[in-house]
């Protein structure tokens, strides 16, 4: 495509902040590689603007993504939420089908792809998830859907962990740990960081590995240039580990597929992120 025309579809990332997002970089690269007529921009918006922008852009034939802090508000704004949106209470992708605005939570597909790249299969796994916000909900939902044996949620504030457990409606397999002492001596097949710890180089580690008996693999949903300190600490102990870049890429690929109805050009997206 040479440049935007009157037929060009508009896609937008809606959130606050959005200035540092990689989504415009890899989505515009994907549009070029797939030779589709779209343009992807980032729009900082507040709570009051969100429903109007989301529905307006979709009804004009476009779509987009939603990021912090609007994923829950977006879940309430769309006409047709997927099961993933209903169960996680969060929507990160929107588009138009017929005359209805659809919403999905492709963080679920993104987490699933990143976890399977790291450990192959999470069926039967015993997992520990640190954090109980939006990213944790997507991770726990994917793990439960894929047949994990158990998911223990450890969060700073227990109320939010209990709320996650109730919303997902899995009282048997999803459990809540009230503090780190409760998990001492336990081995987990997969440990997931779904807190923001690691975004800044001087953050404490989300979990010191000597607090548990062992970890089969570590998936940090945070990404930072040169990988996070926690990922490097896991590898230093011989634990296979990955940061959140693959999840970011795969949630974007799943969104591309909702918008364009065709497979995403993953290699081009990966190259765009690598710079
Ligand atoms: P969120 O909804 O704000 O939830 C954050 C969670 O982390 C909450 O459970 C919070 O605990 C906990 N937390 C925050 N600060 C903490 C601290 N200093 N110590 C311990 N726990 C703390 O955020 P989110 O949307 O789930 O995102 C969390 C992180 O995941 C983001 O920062 C981002 O880096 C990452 N993420 C990555 C991807 C990806 O594609 N790779 C996608 C989404 C998110 P309380 O409940 O006690 O407040």
């Amino acid at each position: 495509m040479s440049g935007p025309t009157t037929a060009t579809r508009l896609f937008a990332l809606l959130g606050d902040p959005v200035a540092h997002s990689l989504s415009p970089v890899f989505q515009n690269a994907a549009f070029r590689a797939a030779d589709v007529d779209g343009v992807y921009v980032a729009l900082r918006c507040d709570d009051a603007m969100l429903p109007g922008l989301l529905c307006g852009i979709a009804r004009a034939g476009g779509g987009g993504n939603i990021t912090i802090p609007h994923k829950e508000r977006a879940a309430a704004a769309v006409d047709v939420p997927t099961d993933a949106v209903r169960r996680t209470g969060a929507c990160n992708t929107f588009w138009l089908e017929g005359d209805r605005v659809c919403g999905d939570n492709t963080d679920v597909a993104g987490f699933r792809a990143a976890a399977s790249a790291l450990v192959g299969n999470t069926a039967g796994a015993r997992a520990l998830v640190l954090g109980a916000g939006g990213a944790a909900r997507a991770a726990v939902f994917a793990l439960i859907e894929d047949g994990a044996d158990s998911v223990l949620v450890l969060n700073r504030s227990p109320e939010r962990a209990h709320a996650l457990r109730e919303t997902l409606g899995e009282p048997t397999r999803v459990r809540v740990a009230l503090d780190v002492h409760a998990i001492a001596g336990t081995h987990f097949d997969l440990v997931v960081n779904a807190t923001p710890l690691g975004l800044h180089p001087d953050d404490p580690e989300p979990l010191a590995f000597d607090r548990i008996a062992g970890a089969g693999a570590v998936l940090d949903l945070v990404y930072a240039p040169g990988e996070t300190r926690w990922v490097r600490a896991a590898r230093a102990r011989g634990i296979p580990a990955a940061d959140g870049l693959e999840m970011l890429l795969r949630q974007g690929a799943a969104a591309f597929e909702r918008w364009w109805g065709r497979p995403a050009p993953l290699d081009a997206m990966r190259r765009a992120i690598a710079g």
Side-chain angles (χ1 to χ4, degrees):
M1 293 291 153
S2 51
T5 68
T6 51
T8 302
R9 296 175 69 194
L10 174 67
F11 296 85
L13 174 68
L14 308 177
D16 186 12
V18 292
H20 298 99
S21 172
L22 291 171
S23 293
V25 174
F26 66 72
Q27 290 296 1
N28 283 310
F31 294 180
R32 281 191 298 273
D35 199 23
V36 293
D37 191 4
V39 62
Y40 190 107
V41 299
L43 300 178
R44 186 163 72 88
C45 71
D46 63 21
D47 286 0
M49 293 158 73
L50 190 271
L53 265 178
L54 187 159
C55 293
I57 291 169
R59 293 196 183 287
N65 294 118
I66 302 103
T67 188
I68 287 175
H70 299 316
K71 289 182 188 177
E72 288 176 18
R73 186 170 287 268
V78 298
D79 301 321
V80 187
T82 59
D83 190 40
V85 171
R86 278 194 297 272
R87 298 274 300 279
T88 60
C91 167
N92 81 331
T93 299
F94 65 96
W95 70 98
L96 195 71
E97 265 179 39
D99 62 352
R100 298 198 298 171
V101 180
C102 301
D104 194 4
N105 185 355
T106 66
D107 282 340
V108 174
F111 174 85
R112 177 173 283 139
S116 94
L118 182 65
V119 298
N121 191 346
T122 54
R126 285 167 304 156
L128 171 65
V129 174
L130 309 167
R137 281 170 187 249
V140 175
F141 178 69
L143 287 164
I144 288 301
E145 286 286 295
D146 293 350
D149 177 69
S150 63
V151 184
L152 195 58
V153 177
L154 177 63
N155 193 48
R156 189 171 59 174
S157 45
E159 305 77 29
R160 209 156 168 205
H162 285 299
L164 178 156
R165 182 171 180 255
E166 275 161 37
T167 312
L168 286 174
E170 272 288 342
T172 320
R173 284 188 292 160
V174 179
R175 289 176 297 121
V176 171
L178 293 181
D179 68 54
V180 74
H181 301 295
I183 59 173
T186 310
H187 180 280
F188 296 96
D189 302 311
L190 178 64
V191 181
V192 177
N193 175 34
T195 77
L197 291 172
L199 279 175
H200 306 289
D202 50 354
D203 279 347
E205 289 185 357
L207 176 76
F209 292 113
D210 54 12
R211 305 303 292 265
I212 56 176
V218 158
L219 183 53
D220 194 349
L221 304 193
V222 173
Y223 50 89
E227 299 191 310
T228 59
R229 195 153 56 87
W230 197 56
V231 164
R232 292 196 299 273
R235 291 220 187 100
R237 288 175 170 256
I239 305 169
D243 73 5
L245 214 50
E246 187 67 14
M247 173 169 164
L248 178 76
L249 195 70
R250 296 303 197 105
Q251 63 77 28
F256 179 102
E257 286 163 19
R258 304 289 177 280
W259 302 329
W260 298 103
R262 56 198 274 186
L266 253 182
D267 289 345
M269 296 167 83
R270 222 182 276 287
R271 278 197 302 277
I273 286 188

